Amino acid sequence: MAEATQIFRDSEADRTFRPKWYLGRIAVYSVLIFWTIICLGPIFWTITTSFKAAPDVMQGNLIPWIDYQPQWLGWRSLGMSPETITEPSTVREQFMLRFWNSAIVSVSASLLALVLGSLAAYGLSRFEYRFGPMKNDDISFFFLSQLILPPVVLALPFLVLYREVDLLDTRIGLILLYALTVMPIVIWIMRDQFGSIPTELEEAALVDGLSIWGAFLTIILPIALPGMVAAFILCLVLTWNEYFFAALLTSTDAVTLPVMVASQTGSQGINWWSMAALSTAAILPLIVIGIVLERYIIKGMAAGAVK
């Protein structure tokens, strides 16, 4: 029986290409793993520190059950450990009040900014405007340029304004201010989203008898939904973590979680375990929302880049 002969053979270029390809992939994944460790390191430290005792914090122990034995010290100080969760706790009540303040303010402000910002972005992507020398691109840049202004510059004007209109230490005051600060981000993101949707869809809807509002609500809005979810999540994260204006414009009733976390520092030093437990409870809702809505975030952030 005749031996089979190999007809196709790898060229010299192919044999030298494979090692380079594997080395390139290894280098890329090594960089990604390293960057993942850098990004997730602070979150890992915060979560593990909430289960440490004071000596473990001071000694810098990192790995639970290996470097130290986890305890409920930080959660016990908040009244949220297994043995204290069913008992009355003033600290837990204060935490829940701050938590609901942050939830109501951030969700309301994000929704308000999303509605108004999406309408403005739709108008800028579909219609031509002119205010003096400013056209659509100039107007869009004007909105985005509001983010360049440092918050400390607005501190005194807003403090005086809110005192005059009696909005100090109120949720509605924070909602209006936060919506104003994140609306430029919504406009910038959603303008790209609407710009990537063909105008022929709206023209066909108008021919079928729909109004501009009808075409927007029934045709454009469902297509742009992933981008709106991504913009909402971004606004939610920014407003949830905002500290400067919350500390400046609130004192008792409307205090949010970032202000409560910062208040853990005192004359006796920082209770790292309590601050870590409080920070873990504060970031946990955002982690859950990010995991649940991950596919919408990816679709929304990628949709405007493909035109």
Side-chain angles (χ1 to χ4, degrees):
M1 184 176 180
E3 296 183 359
T5 58
Q6 183 177 358
I7 300 176
F8 301 101
R9 294 181 176 83
D10 292 337
S11 64
E12 186 65 26
D14 293 333
R15 287 194 293 269
T16 58
F17 172 75
R18 286 185 177 180
K20 293 181 180 178
W21 185 85
Y22 284 117
L23 288 176
R25 302 294 289 183
I26 293 173
V28 169
Y29 282 110
S30 299
V31 172
L32 291 177
I33 292 174
F34 176 73
W35 185 248
T36 301
I37 294 174
I38 291 178
C39 294
L40 297 181
I43 298 178
F44 174 80
W45 182 91
T46 301
I47 295 175
T48 55
T49 302
S50 66
F51 295 97
K52 294 179 183 178
D56 299 320
V57 177
M58 301 307 173
Q59 294 172 8
N61 297 329
L62 289 177
I63 305 177
W65 292 288
I66 296 179
D67 293 337
Y68 69 94
Q69 190 66 27
Q71 302 180 31
W72 291 94
L73 180 61
W75 298 96
R76 190 179 300 115
S77 64
L78 298 179
M80 299 175 67
S81 62
E83 65 272 12
T84 61
I85 192 65
T86 58
E87 301 176 358
S89 173
T90 304
V91 179
R92 186 173 66 247
E93 292 177 0
Q94 291 296 318
F95 168 78
M96 293 306 300
L97 175 62
R98 278 36 173 177
F99 178 86
W100 284 116
N101 283 342
S102 292
I104 293 173
V105 168
S106 59
V107 172
S108 301
S110 300
L111 287 176
L112 180 61
L114 184 64
V115 172
L116 298 179
S118 296
L119 294 177
Y122 180 74
L124 289 172
S125 65
R126 289 296 189 266
F127 306 101
E128 292 295 331
Y129 297 97
R130 186 180 184 90
F131 294 97
M134 297 179 61
K135 298 182 180 180
N136 285 34
D137 291 338
D138 303 314
I139 297 172
S140 299
F141 180 76
F142 169 77
F143 283 121
L144 191 65
S145 66
Q146 306 307 303
L147 301 175
I148 302 174
L149 201 63
V152 68
V153 177
L154 303 174
L156 185 58
F158 271 105
L159 186 61
V160 174
L161 175 64
Y162 273 38
R163 184 181 61 186
E164 293 296 326
V165 296
D166 198 21
L167 286 178
L168 287 176
D169 199 23
T170 60
R171 291 173 179 172
I172 186 64
L174 287 182
I175 291 173
L176 295 176
L177 178 58
Y178 286 176
L180 182 66
T181 56
V182 298
M183 195 182 302
I185 300 177
V186 177
I187 294 174
W188 196 261
I189 293 176
M190 294 310 301
R191 189 192 177 194
D192 286 342
Q193 294 290 317
F194 292 132
S196 64
I197 301 175
T199 58
E200 288 77 9
L201 295 177
E202 295 158 278
E203 294 173 355
L206 294 177
V207 171
D208 290 338
L210 288 177
S211 62
I212 294 178
W213 279 104
F216 173 75
L217 294 175
T218 60
I219 305 298
I220 304 301
L221 203 59
I223 299 176
L225 184 60
M228 298 182 70
V229 173
F232 174 77
I233 296 299
L234 182 58
C235 294
L236 185 65
V237 171
L238 293 175
T239 53
W240 183 276
N241 295 324
E242 203 283 327
Y243 169 78
F244 179 78
F245 287 114
L248 177 70
L249 302 176
T250 63
S251 56
T252 53
D253 296 335
V255 173
T256 57
L257 276 179
V259 179
M260 186 178 182
V261 173
S263 66
Q264 298 300 307
T265 60
S267 58
Q268 302 298 324
I270 302 176
N271 294 329
W272 292 107
W273 45 94
S274 299
M275 180 176 286
L278 188 59
S279 300
T280 301
I283 65 177
L284 188 60
L286 296 181
I287 295 177
V288 174
I289 292 175
I291 294 175
V292 172
L293 301 178
E294 177 186 7
R295 61 192 184 97
Y296 290 103
I297 297 174
I298 295 175
K299 287 181 180 179
M301 299 304 291
V306 181
K307 296 186 177 180

